[in-house]
Amino acid sequence: MANQFIYNSFQHSYAILGTGALGGYYGACLQKAGLNVNFLLHSDYEYVKKHGLVVESKNGDFTLTQVQAYPEANKMPACDVVILALKTTQNHLLPQMLPHVVKDNGVVLVLQNGLGVEDEVAKIVGAERVMGGLCFLCSNKVAPGHIRHLDYGEIKIGEYAANYQAAGITNRMQQIAADFELAGIKMELAEDLLLARWQKLVWNIPYNGLSVVLDARTDELMSNPDTRSLVEELMWEVVNGAKSCDRIIPQNFVETMLHYTNKMKPYRTSMKIDYDEKRPLEVETMFGNPLRFAQEKGANLPNITMLYQQLKFLDSRNCN
Ligand SMILES: NC(=O)C1=CN([C@@H]2O[C@H](COP(=O)(O)OP(=O)(O)OC[C@H]3O[C@@H](n4cnc5c(N)ncnc54)[C@H](OP(=O)(O)O)[C@@H]3O)[C@@H](O)[C@H]2O)C=CC1
Ligand SMILES: CC(C)(CO)C(=O)C(=O)O
């Protein structure tokens, strides 16, 4: 809902850990709106330091000729909000990166896909300094310092509490949402982060997984009756996984996700892009962790288990 949040005159400082498709897009939008944003770069640090960031977007292209770019997290200033936008396959770096870059009263906002990352981050910075967010975004990094935003962009954020207990709506969530809304990003507040994460998996588990295993785009998976029914079966298994964790995904949610994907432009999922580029897949956070959460509650998810095993095989062969 546009302008839902009253803007607080105190503006947060932001750190973007991972200036790629997602972090580069949201970070650039925040800077363009006048916020203080610090970017952690990797392979294109020198390039971005010199030339800035280019964003091609369906909402209008823009260039930031100067950005506060850093080659290492421990050279960044401590910030109010640290946006975690690395691929989850790089999360082993977090114990070195996070303690320095988040202020004592700051917060790490995990914008990665999957499940269970907030638990890991809480072990490093404490549960009271963790929030999560689900991004309904189609964006790619297409060249050094060059982000292409293809579609959507809404973010649903939720507070984290130990063991993913529902934590309700807080003042700081509203303040962060106000910053993003100022930057033109549509925001939603979730009372229950675990439910929101399971709901996002209703999309990610079938499409990210099948796109790799079957070498297919979303439109191909939807137009063939066999794969269309496989997608739906996987979605219902995710709904069952959520149920095992006492989270009820409404019946019509599966229909909504199928309809949403039918309306999407043909899309190569991020996992498929990673596979094609021979990068490691986010298989543990997107498949392994949801399976482990459900298994701990005694639930058996056979189709997702099979997809997980196939993806692990493909991933290990692809990266060797
Ligand atoms: N892209 C999208 O539309 C969406 C993405 N997501 C999720 O967001 C997360 C990020 O994905 P996405 O932005 O697509 O991924 P990208 O690969 O585009 O971005 C990740 C960035 O992290 C950087 N990076 C890698 N290693 C390091 C390091 N050691 N130090 C600093 N930076 C590093 C990479 O730099 P370099 O390239 O130079 O190595 C890259 O720019 C994932 O969990 C994804 O599933 C969720 C919804 C939509
Ligand atoms: C559904 C989609 C494609 C965009 O909202 C997405 O969330 C993803 O690629 O992870």
Side-chain angles (χ1 to χ4, degrees), residues 113 135-138 152 200 203-204 208 260 264 267 269-270:
N113 270 323
C135 300
F136 300 88
L137 174 74
C138 297
Y152 306 106
K200 180 86 196 293
W203 198 92
N204 287 127
N208 288 59
Y260 168 87
M264 260 169 96
Y267 187 59
T269 69
S270 52

Side-chain angles (χ1 to χ4, degrees), residues 220-241:
E220 294 170 301
L221 295 172
M222 291 307 278
S223 60
N224 178 291
D226 289 312
T227 49
R228 162 78 176 63
S229 100
L230 199 46
V231 164
E232 194 169 339
E233 275 172 49
L234 283 160
M235 286 185 173
W236 285 116
E237 270 198 18
V238 180
V239 171
N240 284 338

Side-chain angles (χ1 to χ4, degrees), residues 18-22 40-43 85-87 90 93 97 111-113 135 137-139 141 200 282:
T19 307
L22 182 142
L40 177 68
L41 272 299
H42 192 224
S43 62
L86 298 164
K87 288 279 184 187
Q90 299 303 310
L93 300 170
M97 286 184 175
L111 290 187
Q112 299 168 318
N113 270 323
C135 300
L137 174 74
C138 297
S139 178
K141 183 174 128 179
K200 180 86 196 293
E282 295 183 292

Side-chain angles (χ1 to χ4, degrees), residues 15 26 55 133 136 157 234 259:
Y26 289 127
V55 176
F136 300 88
I157 55 174
L234 283 160
H259 179 66

